[in-house]
Amino acid sequence: MFSVVPLAEDVDADRLAGALGRELARFGRVDTLRGEESSDGHAALLARAEAENEAVLLVGSGDDAHAEWDAFCRRQADRTLLVAGSETPIVGAASGCDLVLLAPMPAGATARWLEQTEPAAHHLVYEAAYDLGAARVARRVAGRSLGLVLSGGGARGFAHIGAVAAVAEAGYEVDRLGGCSMGAFIAGMAALGLEPDGIRDRCHEELVRKTPFNDWTVPRVALIRSRKAGRMLERVFGELQVEELPRPLFTVSADLLSSRTVVHRRGSLLEAVGASMSIPGLVPPLVRGGQLLVDGGVLNNLPVDLMEDSHEGPVIAIDVVRRLELEDGAATPQLPSIMETMTRATVLGSVERAERNRALATLVISPDVQDVGLREFSALDRAVAAGRDAAEVALADGEDALRDRL
């Protein structure tokens, strides 16, 4: 049972409820109640609706004349969605509730709403894509939304682009994104709404043509200054905030001081991606408050667990890093390059966690990109093709398991 309660009279909860109901009807019969359908009391009305439907939507009004009904909606629902518009004043707390913001919101408004109301989750429904955004809300609250988690892996992470394209072409709508290191970079662009071809072109421009990781320096803090990488992130993400993205996104980094994983769900998108890509020794740590943030692969290179914890639906994991193995017929391993060693060492401590996280995913896509060097950005199209090939096979094999949860 879900309730939709506007936080002001001028917020159109009926429109949102209608869009939610249409999407929820895909999973079973839905009834929508507004408190005026019966004369024998709210409880009796609700009991009949629950007996006859798979889902019930309670719709509040947001005005003082119907305060009793609105309170009933909040009290009875399994999940309450509080709805606010761009002009709605911030009042009260939203603890334990979902906050739905009808976007676009004024600059900084989303962050203020989250700081002052502390909701269990938040959703943005943009006017320009209202039905799409509302359907995403419905899938998330019903536990039927698809999440995508992209691992770190340097240039091998380009395979994520091909895999994301194959997922879309198979007819799946991705509602949530998470990523580490290069996976954070690709997931960030996907969360912005860029299509796979656009992500590929941006990667070619920024990582292949402009080579942002070659501004070498005397290695006192790191091998590169990271100024070029910083300018790259500014061009791609600008001043965007994570909490303002149309699709929810998280990235992960690791704090050198506390030895803990840091999950970025709010704040500067540039910093959220940049911290996750700060390979120790190659790139200087990102100083943020009392933290020294480095590549999230140090502790959690495939953060499926952080997405699975929300219980909002199945998760597809795309993992481009595997254990090093001896080549066929070789008696001893071949020594890797210094860059390969540094990047491999970064994720060494999270290999076992990645194995456990693979088991949490409904579907795992493992592109065959071991022949792509971790800094071989010129192999962009080869990695993209490998990602597409692996995804097509995995999706065909795991279609039943995935469809059962969507």
Side-chain angles (χ1 to χ4, degrees), residues 217-235:
T217 186
V218 177
R220 294 178 57 203
V221 176
L223 292 176
I224 67 172
R225 297 181 180 89
S226 77
R227 293 173 184 169
K228 290 179 68 175
R231 290 195 291 271
M232 173 189 74
L233 294 174
E234 289 175 0
R235 287 190 296 270

mmCIF file of all heavy atoms in Angstrom, residues 217-235:
data_model
loop_
_atom_site.group_PDB
_atom_site.id
_atom_site.type_symbol
_atom_site.label_atom_id
_atom_site.label_comp_id
_atom_site.label_asym_id
_atom_site.label_seq_id
_atom_site.Cartn_x
_atom_site.Cartn_y
_atom_site.Cartn_z
ATOM 1 N N THR A 217 54.796 14.568 -13.085
ATOM 2 C CA THR A 217 55.468 15.505 -12.199
ATOM 3 C C THR A 217 56.453 14.742 -11.329
ATOM 4 O O THR A 217 56.478 13.507 -11.331
ATOM 5 C CB THR A 217 54.445 16.241 -11.302
ATOM 6 O OG1 THR A 217 55.119 17.240 -10.540
ATOM 7 C CG2 THR A 217 53.752 15.274 -10.351
ATOM 8 N N VAL A 218 57.295 15.479 -10.593
ATOM 9 C CA VAL A 218 58.183 14.837 -9.629
ATOM 10 C C VAL A 218 57.303 14.168 -8.569
ATOM 11 O O VAL A 218 56.472 14.824 -7.929
ATOM 12 C CB VAL A 218 59.120 15.865 -8.961
ATOM 13 C CG1 VAL A 218 59.986 15.190 -7.909
ATOM 14 C CG2 VAL A 218 59.993 16.538 -10.013
ATOM 15 N N PRO A 219 57.432 12.842 -8.381
ATOM 16 C CA PRO A 219 56.461 12.098 -7.554
ATOM 17 C C PRO A 219 56.625 12.290 -6.057
ATOM 18 O O PRO A 219 57.082 11.405 -5.339
ATOM 19 C CB PRO A 219 56.727 10.649 -7.968
ATOM 20 C CG PRO A 219 58.166 10.624 -8.358
ATOM 21 C CD PRO A 219 58.429 11.956 -9.001
ATOM 22 N N ARG A 220 56.186 13.446 -5.556
ATOM 23 C CA ARG A 220 56.164 13.671 -4.110
ATOM 24 C C ARG A 220 54.826 13.222 -3.521
ATOM 25 O O ARG A 220 54.777 12.635 -2.450
ATOM 26 C CB ARG A 220 56.400 15.150 -3.799
ATOM 27 C CG ARG A 220 57.783 15.663 -4.179
ATOM 28 C CD ARG A 220 57.899 17.142 -3.877
ATOM 29 N NE ARG A 220 57.628 17.413 -2.472
ATOM 30 C CZ ARG A 220 57.232 18.595 -2.015
ATOM 31 N NH1 ARG A 220 57.017 19.596 -2.859
ATOM 32 N NH2 ARG A 220 57.026 18.777 -0.734
ATOM 33 N N VAL A 221 53.734 13.534 -4.210
ATOM 34 C CA VAL A 221 52.391 13.137 -3.769
ATOM 35 C C VAL A 221 51.811 12.081 -4.701
ATOM 36 O O VAL A 221 51.165 11.129 -4.254
ATOM 37 C CB VAL A 221 51.457 14.365 -3.704
ATOM 38 C CG1 VAL A 221 50.039 13.944 -3.351
ATOM 39 C CG2 VAL A 221 51.990 15.377 -2.698
ATOM 40 N N ALA A 222 52.044 12.246 -5.991
ATOM 41 C CA ALA A 222 51.536 11.305 -6.998
ATOM 42 C C ALA A 222 52.358 11.490 -8.263
ATOM 43 O O ALA A 222 53.119 12.458 -8.402
ATOM 44 C CB ALA A 222 50.063 11.565 -7.269
ATOM 45 N N LEU A 223 52.190 10.541 -9.198
ATOM 46 C CA LEU A 223 52.955 10.589 -10.436
ATOM 47 C C LEU A 223 52.484 11.675 -11.387
ATOM 48 O O LEU A 223 53.242 12.147 -12.231
ATOM 49 C CB LEU A 223 52.893 9.225 -11.136
ATOM 50 C CG LEU A 223 53.616 8.072 -10.428
ATOM 51 C CD1 LEU A 223 53.397 6.768 -11.187
ATOM 52 C CD2 LEU A 223 55.115 8.364 -10.300
ATOM 53 N N ILE A 224 51.218 12.062 -11.292
ATOM 54 C CA ILE A 224 50.703 13.127 -12.141
ATOM 55 C C ILE A 224 50.099 14.232 -11.278
ATOM 56 O O ILE A 224 49.730 14.011 -10.131
ATOM 57 C CB ILE A 224 49.652 12.618 -13.146
ATOM 58 C CG1 ILE A 224 48.383 12.151 -12.420
ATOM 59 C CG2 ILE A 224 50.212 11.501 -14.014
ATOM 60 C CD1 ILE A 224 47.239 11.831 -13.366
ATOM 61 N N ARG A 225 50.032 15.434 -11.869
ATOM 62 C CA ARG A 225 49.454 16.568 -11.136
ATOM 63 C C ARG A 225 47.937 16.453 -11.064
ATOM 64 O O ARG A 225 47.316 16.978 -10.166
ATOM 65 C CB ARG A 225 49.818 17.875 -11.843
ATOM 66 C CG ARG A 225 51.310 18.167 -11.901
ATOM 67 C CD ARG A 225 51.545 19.497 -12.604
ATOM 68 N NE ARG A 225 52.948 19.832 -12.699
ATOM 69 C CZ ARG A 225 53.737 19.461 -13.709
ATOM 70 N NH1 ARG A 225 53.224 18.740 -14.700
ATOM 71 N NH2 ARG A 225 55.001 19.793 -13.736
ATOM 72 N N SER A 226 47.327 15.817 -12.038
ATOM 73 C CA SER A 226 45.871 15.616 -12.197
ATOM 74 C C SER A 226 45.141 16.893 -12.597
ATOM 75 O O SER A 226 43.922 16.943 -12.525
ATOM 76 C CB SER A 226 45.241 15.025 -10.930
ATOM 77 O OG SER A 226 45.067 15.982 -9.915
ATOM 78 N N ARG A 227 45.891 17.912 -13.045
ATOM 79 C CA ARG A 227 45.206 19.131 -13.496
ATOM 80 C C ARG A 227 44.410 18.867 -14.766
ATOM 81 O O ARG A 227 43.284 19.348 -14.918
ATOM 82 C CB ARG A 227 46.232 20.244 -13.727
ATOM 83 C CG ARG A 227 46.927 20.731 -12.456
ATOM 84 C CD ARG A 227 48.047 21.690 -12.772
ATOM 85 N NE ARG A 227 48.763 22.088 -11.560
ATOM 86 C CZ ARG A 227 49.920 22.746 -11.569
ATOM 87 N NH1 ARG A 227 50.476 23.075 -12.727
ATOM 88 N NH2 ARG A 227 50.521 23.066 -10.428
ATOM 89 N N LYS A 228 45.003 18.111 -15.685
ATOM 90 C CA LYS A 228 44.295 17.800 -16.928
ATOM 91 C C LYS A 228 43.063 16.946 -16.641
ATOM 92 O O LYS A 228 42.009 17.141 -17.237
ATOM 93 C CB LYS A 228 45.236 17.076 -17.903
ATOM 94 C CG LYS A 228 46.338 17.943 -18.467
ATOM 95 C CD LYS A 228 47.244 17.155 -19.400
ATOM 96 C CE LYS A 228 46.536 16.730 -20.671
ATOM 97 N NZ LYS A 228 47.459 16.055 -21.629
ATOM 98 N N ALA A 229 43.198 15.985 -15.717
ATOM 99 C CA ALA A 229 42.047 15.156 -15.360
ATOM 100 C C ALA A 229 40.961 16.002 -14.713
ATOM 101 O O ALA A 229 39.762 15.783 -14.947
ATOM 102 C CB ALA A 229 42.489 14.041 -14.418
ATOM 103 N N GLY A 230 41.363 16.967 -13.897
ATOM 104 C CA GLY A 230 40.389 17.847 -13.270
ATOM 105 C C GLY A 230 39.620 18.673 -14.284
ATOM 106 O O GLY A 230 38.402 18.840 -14.173
ATOM 107 N N ARG A 231 40.333 19.183 -15.289
ATOM 108 C CA ARG A 231 39.654 19.964 -16.334
ATOM 109 C C ARG A 231 38.711 19.078 -17.142
ATOM 110 O O ARG A 231 37.653 19.523 -17.585
ATOM 111 C CB ARG A 231 40.696 20.635 -17.240
ATOM 112 C CG ARG A 231 41.460 21.764 -16.555
ATOM 113 C CD ARG A 231 42.198 22.633 -17.564
ATOM 114 N NE ARG A 231 43.297 21.912 -18.183
ATOM 115 C CZ ARG A 231 44.541 21.861 -17.721
ATOM 116 N NH1 ARG A 231 44.848 22.486 -16.593
ATOM 117 N NH2 ARG A 231 45.486 21.205 -18.361
ATOM 118 N N MET A 232 39.102 17.805 -17.337
ATOM 119 C CA MET A 232 38.218 16.871 -18.032
ATOM 120 C C MET A 232 36.903 16.709 -17.278
ATOM 121 O O MET A 232 35.815 16.777 -17.869
ATOM 122 C CB MET A 232 38.898 15.510 -18.173
ATOM 123 C CG MET A 232 37.992 14.411 -18.728
ATOM 124 S SD MET A 232 38.710 12.752 -18.642
ATOM 125 C CE MET A 232 38.552 12.422 -16.867
ATOM 126 N N LEU A 233 36.984 16.503 -15.976
ATOM 127 C CA LEU A 233 35.778 16.317 -15.170
ATOM 128 C C LEU A 233 34.918 17.579 -15.164
ATOM 129 O O LEU A 233 33.683 17.499 -15.172
ATOM 130 C CB LEU A 233 36.157 15.920 -13.748
ATOM 131 C CG LEU A 233 36.828 14.551 -13.599
ATOM 132 C CD1 LEU A 233 37.295 14.334 -12.167
ATOM 133 C CD2 LEU A 233 35.894 13.433 -14.025
ATOM 134 N N GLU A 234 35.564 18.743 -15.188
ATOM 135 C CA GLU A 234 34.807 19.996 -15.250
ATOM 136 C C GLU A 234 34.038 20.105 -16.565
ATOM 137 O O GLU A 234 32.886 20.541 -16.589
ATOM 138 C CB GLU A 234 35.759 21.184 -15.091
ATOM 139 C CG GLU A 234 36.327 21.348 -13.682
ATOM 140 C CD GLU A 234 37.356 22.454 -13.613
ATOM 141 O OE1 GLU A 234 37.626 23.090 -14.678
ATOM 142 O OE2 GLU A 234 37.911 22.677 -12.526
ATOM 143 N N ARG A 235 34.683 19.710 -17.654
ATOM 144 C CA ARG A 235 33.998 19.777 -18.956
ATOM 145 C C ARG A 235 32.821 18.805 -19.021
ATOM 146 O O ARG A 235 31.772 19.111 -19.594
ATOM 147 C CB ARG A 235 34.991 19.476 -20.083
ATOM 148 C CG ARG A 235 35.995 20.578 -20.368
ATOM 149 C CD ARG A 235 36.766 20.304 -21.646
ATOM 150 N NE ARG A 235 37.593 19.100 -21.568
ATOM 151 C CZ ARG A 235 38.859 19.066 -21.142
ATOM 152 N NH1 ARG A 235 39.447 20.193 -20.743
ATOM 153 N NH2 ARG A 235 39.533 17.946 -21.120
#
